[in-house]
Structures are given as C-alpha cells and as structure tokens.
Amino acid sequence: MSASTLPTDPRLIGEQPGLGGAIAGYRRRVRQGDIGQLPVVIGLILIWGIFFWASNGIFLKPENLVNLALQMAPVGTMAIGVVFVLLLGEIDLTIGIVSGVTSAIMAVVNVKMGLPGPVAVLAGLGSGVAIGLLQGLWITRFRIPSFVVTLAGLIGWEGALLFILGDTGTINIRDPFLVGFAGTFFNGIAAWGLGVLFVLYLAGSWLLTRRSRLAAGLGAEGAPALVIRITVVAIFVFVALFVLQQDRGLPLSLVLFVGVIVAMDYIVKRTRFGRMVFAVGGNAEAARRAGIPVDRVRVTVFVIASTMSAWGGVLAASRLLGVAQSTGSGPVLLNAIASAVIGGTSLFGGRGTVWAALLGILVIQSISNGMDLLSFDPAVKSMITGIVLLAAVTIDAVARRGRAAIR
C-alpha cells in the first residue's frame, strides 16, 4: 500500500463527533466505494412496505412472519458457507445439491437403518465434511477452477441423491429429534432472554471493535452513531420477538441459524484463520509469499461451505418433514448465492461479513414469501429474483471500481 493511499482509505479515517460527522463519514465512504449495508436495509423496508400494502396487511401478520423465519433458516445457513467461499474469490455450485444429498443420507440412516436422530444428523454432517474435503482437495491438488469442479459435482451429486433415495423417491421423517428443529418454539422468558443475549453480544462486539481500532490509531465509528445503531437494532429485535410470540413463538431453527452466524463471525473476525481467508481472497500470491498456507485455507473453506450446506439440509428436511428427489434443487443454489451477495459480500473476494447471510436471506426470502402470498407465477418469481441478484452484483462491481479509483 502506497503512502498516498493511507489518507483516503475509508477503513482508516475516523468520523467527526455528532450526527453530522456520522452522515459526512458515510457520504465519504460511499464516494470511495464503501457503500455499507444501509442500501440493503432501505431496500428491505421498501419490500416489506410494498408486500404489506399489496397483501392487505397479511405479509406482516405474526403467522406469516413465523413462516418467514422458518423459511429463512435453511437457505440462510447455506449462505453462510457461500460467504466463506466468496471471500476467497471462489464459487461453489454444489451448495444446494449437497444439502439434498446429506439430508437424504440422514433420512436413510434414521428411517431405513433405524438409528437415533442425533446419529443420523452426525451422519449427514459428516457426509458434508467429506464432500467439501474431496472437492477442496481436487481444486487445490489439480489446480482446476472451483467453477469447473463444483459444476461437475453438481451433476454427480444429483445422481447420488437419486441413488440414495432409491425407487421410492421420497423418505418421510417422523423422528421427534429431527422434526424438533423446525417444530420447537420459544416463548416468554426464554424468548426474551435469547433476545437480550443477542443484543448484548452485538453491542459488546461493536464496542470491542471500536476500542481495538482506536487503540491501534485507526479510524472508528463515532460513539453517538454507535449508540444509535445499538438502539435501532435492540428495538427491531424486541419488536420482532413480541410479534413472533403473538403466533407460535421464536423458532428454534432461527435461533440455531443466528447462533451459527455468531460463531462464524467470531472465526472470521477474531481468529488467525479468518485473517488468512481475507488475505487469500485479497491477493493469493501475496498471501503465499507471506507464508500463509493458501491451499490449506482453500480446502478448509470448501469443507466449511459443504458442512453449512449439510446443516441447512437438516433444517430443511425438518421443516418439510421429509426428503425428496427435488430436495436442494431449483432456486436453492441461486437464493443462497444471492443472499450472500445482496448482504454485501463481494463476488471478487476479500470483502464481506458473515452477517451478510442474515441480511441477504431476509431480503431474498421476503421477496419469495411475498410473491407466494400474491400467487405470482413461478416464472415471474425466478425473473424477479434474477433481477435482484443482477442489481446486487452490479452495485458490487461499481463499488469495486470506486475503491480501485482511490488507490
């Protein structure tokens, strides 16, 4: 990094005190290509407003919001794996179908072999780890682009899914442990307690980041802006909890989804492995020269992606009470990738956060849920989802050029 870059790098410039300073700081970051997640939040508010109006208020009723939460968890979990792959500047086209294969293995182990639910879940997750390890080693050992390897995997794992399910084509799940992921809800003290823990975690994480940056002499978010952000998030969380409890309550699958995000966010931001992922995604050759085991990082990331896909498949099978030949196919892959990109993860590597999976899936699933309520034709749904993804990628490309222009 040249010395002339430092004064203009948005990551190194602190904000002036007060609300005016926060607004000026955001305008400066936008001009320099760092648009943040505010446009996504504004877009989400518009989407909710449009569907609320078009559905005569049904979209924001507690029953539909609980359904929305249940729909978000499986694909959102897969999107976490996509975030890791995109941070490397790679792609994994097997995200959807691996969820189908691993959930089919889980169903066979539980229903046909008669083993307990926890053992079946471990078998499904273990299968995801093995698939990710195979694909990661193939990419790094033979120097084949991840797009080609995972495209071949997409076709091959589709065949594997049909083979595992056999002639019946569908396996219904009745094990209480397995169906409990989507059938368990928190209410009362348990739900409010989880909400308080979540807000305290976010506030602590943001305060720790701010203190670390100030201690290192780097620019940091102003205290007033940080207080406003924590307050807004806390209000949103507690209002959401109140509304969800007007129906069935806070779904366990949503709690598990957010819990995985928190764990993965810690890995990305607070561990050496997380810093190596960003280094490899930013410049693989520079990372190699710095002594980072680039191939090992790549293999690990593909293992994480397939494991997240397998866990998403477990949640999906729990919600649908079974596994079929179409499980993991259709829009699942597109929605997982779109969620990561719309949430702010760059397709070009080295930029993004795990929280992108939550924000992105909220947008994608809100659109899908709203169009289902309005009985949109499936063809129209696919076209609209594609347009949203294209818009997100275009914004990312334009922002990337803006960042390149200041270097």
Side-chain angles (χ1 to χ4, degrees):
M1 182 180 292
S2 65
S4 60
T5 302
L6 291 174
T8 57
D9 191 326
R11 295 167 296 182
L12 306 180
I13 300 175
E15 293 179 355
Q16 297 300 316
L19 182 60
I23 295 174
Y26 181 74
R27 290 175 60 186
R28 184 186 62 251
R29 291 196 296 274
V30 170
R31 286 197 303 271
Q32 295 172 336
D34 184 10
I35 61 175
Q37 295 177 326
L38 184 59
V40 184
V41 175
I42 294 174
L44 182 63
I45 293 172
L46 289 175
I47 291 168
W48 283 25
I50 291 171
F51 283 126
F52 176 77
W53 170 76
S55 66
N56 295 320
I58 297 176
F59 181 78
L60 291 182
K61 284 190 173 180
E63 181 181 3
N64 190 57
L65 291 181
V66 171
N67 290 335
L68 178 62
L70 290 170
Q71 294 163 354
M72 283 171 48
V75 181
T77 303
M78 299 176 207
I80 296 172
V82 176
V83 168
F84 273 83
V85 174
L86 292 183
L87 286 176
L88 285 184
E90 303 280 357
I91 192 68
D92 187 347
L93 300 179
T94 64
I95 288 294
I97 194 61
V98 168
S99 72
V101 171
T102 54
S103 60
I105 291 173
M106 177 192 72
V108 168
V109 170
N110 178 249
V111 177
K112 294 189 175 181
M113 299 177 66
L115 295 177
V119 176
V121 171
L122 290 177
L125 295 178
S127 303
V129 171
I131 291 172
L133 185 62
L134 173 65
Q135 294 183 158
L137 288 174
W138 210 284
I139 292 167
T140 55
R141 180 62 61 89
F142 299 106
R143 304 297 175 193
I144 302 174
S146 57
F147 174 82
V148 178
V149 172
T150 56
L151 179 60
L154 171 63
I155 300 170
W157 298 124
E158 282 181 346
L161 175 60
L162 300 179
F163 178 79
I164 293 169
L165 291 177
D167 297 333
T168 59
T170 302
I171 298 177
N172 295 321
I173 296 174
R174 296 185 177 85
D175 187 285
F177 179 80
L178 298 181
V179 300
F181 290 121
T184 302
F185 298 88
F186 296 101
N187 283 285
I189 294 177
W192 293 115
L194 288 169
V196 170
L197 288 176
F198 179 64
V199 173
L200 288 177
Y201 168 79
L202 286 181
S205 176
W206 291 338
L207 288 170
L208 184 61
T209 299
R210 182 175 185 275
R211 190 177 68 176
S212 299
R213 291 183 65 85
L214 291 176
L218 301 174
E221 186 178 18
L226 184 58
V227 171
I228 292 173
R229 185 146 64 110
I230 293 172
T231 304
V232 170
V233 170
I235 292 173
F236 176 82
V237 169
F238 293 127
V239 169
L241 285 173
F242 175 78
V243 174
L244 292 175
Q245 291 182 79
Q246 302 310 302
D247 190 58
R248 283 155 285 177
L250 176 65
L252 171 62
S253 59
L254 182 62
V255 175
L256 294 172
F257 170 43
V258 175
V260 173
I261 288 180
V262 170
M264 290 299 170
D265 181 62
Y266 177 84
I267 290 174
V268 167
K269 290 182 178 176
R270 310 289 177 190
T271 68
R272 185 169 178 266
F273 172 75
R275 290 189 287 272
M276 289 194 293
V277 170
F278 278 103
V280 174
N283 190 320
E285 180 57 25
R288 187 186 66 78
R289 291 175 182 273
I292 293 176
V294 174
D295 287 350
R296 197 182 307 166
V297 171
R298 283 198 169 114
V299 171
T300 305
V301 165
F302 277 95
V303 169
I304 291 173
S306 290
T307 305
M308 290 297 104
S309 181
W311 182 234
V314 171
L315 297 180
S318 176
R319 187 174 77 85
L320 300 174
L321 302 177
V323 182
Q325 293 178 345
S326 60
T327 301
S329 60
V332 174
L333 171 63
L334 175 63
N335 287 345
I337 295 175
S339 300
V341 175
I342 290 172
T345 305
S346 174
L347 279 172
F348 305 99
R351 201 173 188 88
T353 71
V354 179
W355 291 101
L358 178 60
L359 198 54
I361 191 60
L362 199 52
V363 172
I364 286 292
Q365 204 61 58
S366 295
I367 294 173
S368 177
N369 181 288
M371 289 191 293
D372 285 339
L373 282 178
L374 300 177
S375 301
F376 274 43
D377 188 89
V380 176
K381 288 176 58 181
S382 297
M383 287 189 287
I384 292 177
T385 305
I387 291 171
V388 172
L389 175 59
L390 182 62
V393 173
T394 303
I395 292 172
D396 176 44
V398 172
R400 184 169 178 261
R401 284 204 298 271
R403 289 193 294 269
I406 67 173
R407 291 173 183 167

